[in-house]
Amino acid sequence: MMNVLITGGSGFIGSHLLEELGAAGHRLTNVDLRPPTAGARWAETFRAGSLLDRDGLTAIFSEVRPTHVVHLAAVAKMEARSLEEFAANTEGTANLLAAVEAAGNVERLIVTSTQHVRKPGSGAPTSDVDYLPYKLYGESKVVTERLTRDASLTCAWTLIRPTAVWGPRQLLLAEGLWRLMAQGRYFHPAGDPVVRSYGYVRNLVWQVHRLLEAPRPAVDRKMFYIADGNMRQLDWVNAVARELTGRDVRTVPLPVVHGLSACGDLLRGVGLRFPIYRDRLENLITPNPVPTEPILNLLGPPPHSMADGARETALWLKAYYRDGLL
């Protein structure tokens, strides 16, 4: 049995990780600013704590004495004015690393970065430190990675870069793309050839679990993109749409989508919402495959298919919308 401390265990990925590790019987501590909302069964794992409170964090480590640590907590937003808005990712990671080293009993550490340490469409990295960050969020996670690499850690550590993570309790998609689908307002560029990397959340936490248990030489001082693999974007969109609405999404010729996105920018400029605008279109038409072979070669294929994930996600979404949140 592992004694696992998770930072950010109340969030989307963290709540699923609590379920994955809890089902295996591991001892769990969730350090977060807020308690988990995914179920009262995990309430006893919660310890209120901030990454920016170094002394408080060190005290929790001293009391809990974890053998394994998964660092998920972060500020994850794409719009910001300065790097200071990501103090939890920079100063907070430094505090976490100091607490790990001071504890003296941590055997394994997983630190979560992001695929956005490289700009979408920039191609495969030439090395693990070949950075081309996307926006300030990506820059903050470059700092996260560099702090981890430069720390004087005696435990085995692993960096992970999740890609496009989806599944039940993903509120950003539930209130964005998936809500538009459910309302019949979503349309997609016709003939979309874009390939990207997606990760069903239950597969992601399965991969994290296996990394914690893998032989030390296979994971120590390594970096892995965490995902199911690279796939055609339209296949993923349609998989969820079919389960949610019973049909594929509507497609519109790309020149028409370009025109609609220009209209969307004008409407957003006067405070009105529109399903498509230039930033969203640029995201839609930019391929972003990543090297997923290392994680798949190490752990093998994840246990849940895209069809399984789409079905479970649609069931959760229907309940979520039925509760009046559509």
Side-chain angles (χ1 to χ4, degrees):
M1 182 180 70
M2 295 185 288
N3 180 5
V4 188
L5 184 148
I6 303 167
T7 68
S10 298
F12 166 51
I13 296 174
S15 63
H16 284 278
L17 185 58
L18 284 174
E19 292 175 353
E20 167 75 19
L21 297 177
H26 299 299
R27 180 181 173 187
L28 302 173
T29 302
N30 165 27
V31 179
D32 207 318
L33 294 173
R34 66 187 191 283
T37 58
R41 62 183 297 196
W42 305 115
E44 72 279 3
T45 71
F46 174 66
R47 292 291 303 270
S50 169
L51 292 175
L52 298 180
D53 178 5
R54 177 175 287 208
D55 291 342
L57 199 59
T58 300
I60 291 174
F61 269 76
S62 178
E63 178 186 342
V64 172
R65 298 191 61 77
T67 57
H68 296 68
V69 176
V70 182
H71 178 36
L72 290 171
V75 172
K77 60 182 181 179
M78 301 313 299
E79 301 304 324
R81 295 184 177 181
S82 76
L83 199 58
E84 293 178 359
E85 294 181 40
F86 298 95
N89 305 359
T90 54
E91 180 185 344
T93 296
N95 291 341
L96 182 280
L97 295 170
V100 166
E101 189 62 17
N105 52 281
V106 176
E107 301 169 14
R108 297 286 182 93
L109 167 67
I110 293 179
V111 174
T112 307
S113 180
T114 174
Q115 66 175 340
H116 293 305
V117 294
R118 288 189 59 78
K119 185 178 179 180
S122 58
T126 59
S127 72
D128 289 351
V129 292
D130 180 13
Y131 297 120
L132 187 61
Y134 179 57
K135 298 193 174 184
L136 289 168
Y137 171 58
E139 288 187 29
S140 75
K141 286 297 192 173
V142 170
V143 175
T144 292
E145 291 198 11
R146 286 175 169 160
L147 286 168
T148 305
R149 293 183 184 280
D150 293 342
S152 301
L153 296 173
T154 55
C155 66
W157 58 261
T158 307
L159 289 165
I160 60 171
R161 294 178 185 172
T163 58
V165 187
W166 62 285
R169 303 198 291 271
Q170 220 294 16
L171 296 181
L172 186 63
L173 287 172
E175 297 170 359
L177 170 64
W178 293 334
R179 181 172 65 173
L180 292 174
M181 283 183 185
Q183 294 173 333
R185 298 170 55 211
Y186 182 76
F187 52 86
H188 197 85
D192 174 24
V194 168
V195 172
R196 340 187 97 182
S197 180
Y198 292 91
Y200 180 51
V201 67
R202 290 184 62 194
N203 286 335
L204 183 149
V205 298
W206 176 86
Q207 289 171 324
V208 170
H209 188 180
R210 295 304 177 271
L211 287 174
L212 289 172
E213 297 177 336
R216 177 168 179 152
V219 298
D220 190 18
R221 288 161 172 72
K222 303 287 179 63
M223 185 282 292
F224 296 97
Y225 282 93
I226 303 294
D228 299 347
N230 297 308
M231 63 192 73
R232 201 165 68 119
Q233 176 177 239
L234 187 56
D235 292 339
W236 174 77
V237 169
N238 279 332
V240 178
R242 282 192 292 267
E243 293 291 340
L244 186 58
T245 68
R247 61 185 182 276
D248 289 348
V249 295
R250 289 180 297 159
T251 58
V252 177
L254 185 57
V256 175
V257 182
H258 274 288
L260 290 170
S261 71
C263 294
D265 281 349
L266 291 174
L267 292 172
R268 286 168 62 85
V270 295
L272 300 176
R273 299 181 66 180
F274 195 69
I276 192 72
Y277 45 91
R278 288 184 183 176
D279 278 354
R280 177 169 283 180
L281 176 58
E282 187 65 26
N283 180 58
L284 273 175
I285 63 177
T286 303
N288 195 31
V290 300
T292 58
E293 295 83 4
I295 191 68
L296 298 177
N297 289 340
L298 176 64
L299 303 180
H304 305 283
S305 69
M306 182 165 66
D308 292 337
R311 186 162 46 252
E312 292 172 3
T313 299
L315 286 172
W316 174 80
L317 282 169
K318 289 172 183 177
Y320 180 78
Y321 296 151
R322 189 173 60 244
D323 290 339
L325 298 174
L326 179 60

